[in-house]
Amino acid sequence: MSSGGAEDDIPQGERKTVTDFCYLLDKSKQLFNGLRDLPQYGQKQWQSYFGRTFDVYTKLWKFQQQHRQVLDNRYGLKRWQIGEIASKIGQLYYHYYLRTSETSYLNEAFSFYSAIRQRSYYSQVNKEDRPELVVKKLRYYARFIVVCLLLNKMDVVKDLVKELSDEIEDYTHRFNTEDQVEWNLVLQEVAAFVEADPVMVLNDDNTIVITSNRLAETGAPLLEQGMIVGQLTLADALIIGNCNNQVKFSELTVDMFRMLQALEREPMNLASQMNKPGMQESTEKPARRENPHKYLLYKPTFSQLYTFLAAAFKELPANSVLLIYLSATGVFPSGRSDSEGPYDFGGVLTNSNRDIINGDAIHKRNQSYKEMHCLHPGDLYPFTRKPLFIIVDSSNSVAYKNFTNLFGQPLVCLLSPTAYPKALQDQSQRGSLFTLFLNNPLMAFLFVSGLSSMRRGLWEKCQDYLRKINRDIAQLLTHSRSIDQAFLQFFGDEFLRLLLTRFVFCSATMRMHKIFRETRNYPESYPQLPRDETVENPHLQKHILELASILDVRNVFLENTIDDY
């Protein structure tokens, strides 16, 4: 009775405040949980649901700010509960980024996650004897680290890893939990991810310079005036990672992370550019889409991959390109085949629940059948009805040389080397050299030249020279008389232009390098590029030797490569 009496003493207005808060809290949880049930593919149906969810969280956030005192006194609102709301809003922005590929939303997620840390919302959690609350705190740290990695805020990542390590130690010391091994694995994964780059750029005081590899204003070589190239735009990309033993964090392998950044522009501050997605009254979207939309698929099964591919294909706008990036273990044909069709050369692995033997080639129970967990070139034929740009980074990438352009639409495949020289230190666990060239060509060039660190001034000088090389490669491609028109069809898009020029730079570098002497050490393409006009052009070779001279590594390259063929 006494508690009932005490409740009767609560003024009506305050009681309504608590009721309204509880309603908003329940509604927000309900909508947030509903997001999990939305299909991950398709771009239409989720937008209105996200809008409603943002609206409720915006109201909830403002409500707890305006009525904090009443909620403290009458509801017993704890700081970790405010942290939970902020954390959910951070997650919403992160997932909105995943849905739209607009990097500005990463900045918004970062703001909310930072506020939680600065205001110590989770500081009291450790005093409560509730392990599930500590797990909420640990998960918040893991999510914050992912956002910081994507924004290249490596200094913050290092601080967060230290704090997370202390929190895990405290958690496992206080509660005899079974998930200790899993949390320690999270720490190991992020540490390996941060150290994946093979070359460090250093300031004069030996602090590490954080370099971004997103497309900047001056990134892609400009087209010459009057140059006739295709008007296609890269609208959608599937980024697939299924390599064994490659460093990963939060379902993002190093290769996926690098390709993801190669297909994004530098983030802008969202507040100055447009309203928040939750504020639906006067949303003014930017005049043009900043980034192609991306699906990130970590170890998908064949059916998952095909579902996402079909959804992306279906929604591809007119005059647009679909890009498929495959970073995956090679699947090789089991034996000689009478015919040589698009299913007879193997392909790359999709996920199965079976363990892989010896890391690479798959051993089948019945040698007379094709590997069912393999993405064959033939599996992509239906999607060549629209412009398709394929990048395959695999030990069996050459399977995708055996393409036939059935529908006459622009189609290009860029294919990695299938093996690297033994003398080159094996870095495959820390990401593929081919993808590194497409993401950060200067770092890849330094690595194959045997350099592991570099002063900032020299790095910037080399970047300027590399921009000049890219401009010249662009001219070689557009001036070539025998190049397949498919390459020029894609050349109007900045992202694809940059990928094509970096591919040529990668090919030319490997062909001139003294230890890359086997055919399988070189990238290939479908259709083939005219070698003498592009990857073996003497003008380009001179540029590469000049870059090597700036770095004082000319001795690792052949001087007269033309004579060696």
Side-chain angles (χ1 to χ4, degrees):
M1 286 296 286
S2 58
S3 62
E7 205 169 291
D8 292 339
D9 293 340
I10 300 175
Q12 188 67 32
E14 293 186 8
R15 191 178 297 171
K16 185 177 185 315
T17 298
V18 172
T19 308
D20 289 352
F21 177 75
C22 290
Y23 169 77
L24 283 172
L25 194 61
D26 286 346
K27 186 74 179 163
S28 67
K29 285 178 182 171
Q30 187 186 333
L31 285 167
F32 191 89
N33 291 338
L35 290 173
R36 291 182 200 136
D37 301 328
L38 292 178
Q40 294 301 302
Y41 49 86
Q43 293 175 42
K44 305 284 192 289
Q45 62 272 59
W46 58 269
Q47 271 174 317
S48 60
Y49 195 98
F50 255 93
R52 289 209 310 278
T53 312
F54 267 115
D55 278 346
V56 169
Y57 271 98
T58 304
K59 284 175 190 162
L60 180 63
W61 187 250
K62 285 179 180 168
F63 195 88
Q64 62 83 22
Q65 285 176 321
Q66 290 161 354
H67 305 284
R68 180 74 55 81
Q69 202 169 354
V70 174
L71 293 170
D72 282 351
N73 295 336
R74 303 300 189 189
Y75 177 80
L77 185 67
K78 292 183 168 61
R79 285 188 70 72
W80 67 261
Q81 290 172 300
I82 302 167
E84 266 297 277
I85 298 168
S87 181
K88 288 280 203 306
I89 296 172
Q91 282 181 67
L92 271 178
Y93 275 115
Y94 173 65
H95 284 287
Y96 206 75
Y97 155 73
L98 288 180
R99 292 275 186 175
T100 61
S101 299
E102 299 306 347
T103 39
S104 314
Y105 296 118
L106 282 173
N107 282 334
E108 297 299 306
F110 179 80
S111 313
F112 274 91
Y113 286 148
S114 290
I116 293 168
R117 186 164 167 243
Q118 284 158 7
R119 297 172 194 175
S120 307
Y121 281 137
Y122 281 123
S123 61
Q124 301 299 307
V125 159
N126 295 24
K127 292 180 182 174
E128 302 203 25
D129 193 29
R130 293 173 61 188
E132 73 278 8
L133 289 186
V134 183
V135 169
K136 282 181 190 284
K137 185 178 186 176
L138 300 181
R139 284 184 178 152
Y140 148 72
Y141 268 107
R143 291 184 183 115
F144 193 4
I145 287 168
V146 171
V147 168
C148 291
L149 283 172
L150 288 165
L151 285 169
N152 293 307
K153 294 183 185 286
M154 295 304 177
D155 46 348
V156 185
V157 170
K158 280 173 185 160
D159 292 343
L160 292 174
V161 168
K162 172 82 178 71
E163 288 172 30
L164 177 58
S165 177
D166 293 344
E167 293 289 347
I168 291 169
E169 201 173 320
D170 179 68
Y171 168 61
T172 53
H173 184 70
R174 287 175 57 217
F175 306 103
N176 190 12
T177 61
E178 292 176 5
D179 56 355
Q180 177 182 354
V181 176
E182 287 170 44
W183 281 110
N184 283 329
L185 186 62
V186 168
L187 281 178
Q188 287 164 25
E189 282 186 350
V190 72
F193 206 95
V194 169
E195 290 163 13
D197 282 354
V199 180
M200 283 188 296
V201 184
L202 301 170
N203 284 311
D204 291 337
D205 61 356
N206 283 342
T207 54
I208 295 173
V209 179
I210 307 304
T211 57
S212 173
N213 300 302
R214 287 192 169 92
L215 181 61
E217 289 301 314
T218 55
L222 296 172
L223 290 170
E224 295 170 81
Q225 215 167 356
M227 180 55 61
I228 298 169
V229 293
Q231 299 301 305
L232 296 170
T233 305
L234 177 59
D236 237 302
L238 265 79
I239 297 179
I240 296 144
N242 193 16
C243 279
N244 299 309
N245 307 322
Q246 193 175 93
V247 167
K248 67 126 184 121
F249 184 62
S250 183
E251 305 221 319
L252 203 60
T253 65
V254 172
D255 279 353
M256 290 171 73
F257 176 73
R258 286 175 178 156
M259 186 48 60
L260 166 92
Q261 300 227 326
L263 298 178
E264 289 182 347
R265 296 176 196 280
E266 283 296 345
M268 286 191 284
N269 193 335
L270 187 63
S272 61
Q273 184 203 9
M274 59 191 287
N275 292 320
K276 308 232 185 320
M279 318 271 184
Q280 296 292 324
E281 301 89 60
S282 61
T283 304
E284 291 178 25
K285 299 246 173 187
R288 69 190 173 92
R289 188 173 203 162
E290 284 301 312
N291 296 319
H293 172 261
K294 296 179 294 298
Y295 290 115
L296 305 174
L297 301 179
Y298 174 67
K299 295 204 167 180
T301 61
F302 177 81
S303 56
Q304 284 170 330
L305 196 159
Y306 229 60
T307 302
F308 278 81
L309 197 46
F313 178 84
K314 179 188 171 192
E315 294 188 347
L316 197 69
N319 299 317
S320 294
V321 180
L322 173 62
L323 182 146
I324 302 170
Y325 168 78
L326 296 164
S327 160
T329 300
V331 179
F332 299 93
S334 52
R336 298 290 307 156
S337 174
D338 297 337
S339 64
E340 290 209 329
Y343 288 89
D344 295 316
F345 299 96
V348 300
L349 186 65
T350 60
N351 196 15
S352 69
N353 296 324
R354 293 176 294 132
D355 288 328
I356 290 147
I357 304 165
N358 298 333
D360 212 5
I362 307 302
H363 297 264
K364 291 179 280 299
R365 286 184 204 131
N366 190 329
Q367 296 292 312
S368 63
Y369 292 111
K370 300 276 185 280
E371 168 55 51
M372 62 186 283
H373 298 290
C374 169
L375 186 77
H376 297 271
D379 293 321
L380 298 179
Y381 273 26
F383 304 103
T384 60
R385 287 175 166 85
K386 292 181 182 179
L388 195 61
F389 194 98
I390 302 168
I391 301 171
V392 186
D393 195 336
S394 172
S395 53
N396 192 25
S397 59
V398 290
Y400 294 82
K401 259 197 328 188
N402 304 288
F403 244 88
T404 310
N405 190 338
L406 298 174
F407 301 101
Q409 291 292 321
L411 169 66
V412 161
C413 305
L414 304 183
L415 312 170
S416 72
T418 54
Y420 294 101
K422 286 192 168 59
L424 197 72
Q425 187 192 350
D426 183 26
Q427 287 275 337
S428 55
Q429 199 181 350
R430 292 163 69 175
S432 158
L433 179 59
F434 178 67
T435 294
L436 186 61
F437 262 104
L438 297 181
N439 163 260
N440 190 337
L442 181 53
M443 186 171 284
F445 189 86
L446 295 173
F447 172 64
V448 297
S449 303
L451 299 170
S452 59
S453 66
M454 160 122 320
R455 291 282 161 209
R456 182 181 199 144
L458 185 55
W459 170 269
E460 285 169 358
K461 181 182 177 183
C462 291
Q463 284 287 28
D464 283 343
Y465 194 74
L466 197 55
R467 276 189 276 276
K468 173 180 165 47
I469 295 177
N470 263 338
R471 284 195 297 273
D472 285 2
I473 291 172
Q475 284 190 358
L476 290 177
L477 291 169
T478 51
H479 291 186
S480 165
R481 297 190 173 178
S482 52
I483 193 169
D484 191 289
Q485 287 301 301
F487 292 100
L488 301 182
Q489 289 285 319
F490 292 124
F491 219 66
D493 182 89
E494 280 184 289
F495 292 106
L496 299 179
R497 192 184 323 147
L498 200 56
L499 287 172
L500 285 168
T501 55
R502 285 174 175 174
F503 174 80
V504 172
F505 174 72
C506 170
S507 299
T509 299
M510 289 176 177
R511 286 172 183 278
M512 291 182 70
H513 200 290
K514 284 180 179 173
I515 64 169
F516 286 74
R517 297 321 309 142
E518 295 181 55
T519 311
R520 63 195 190 132
N521 296 157
Y522 306 139
E524 298 197 46
S525 66
Y526 170 88
Q528 275 195 334
L529 282 165
R531 275 204 228 162
D532 54 335
E533 292 181 311
T534 57
V535 297
E536 289 173 10
N537 180 280
H539 181 63
L540 174 55
Q541 291 177 337
K542 215 165 89 182
H543 276 332
I544 288 171
L545 288 176
E546 183 57 35
L547 180 60
S549 295
I550 296 170
L551 293 162
D552 199 21
V553 291
R554 195 160 171 149
N555 60 312
V556 303
F557 294 96
L558 297 163
E559 295 282 339
N560 301 308
T561 43
I562 303 298
D563 304 337
D564 293 329
Y565 282 91

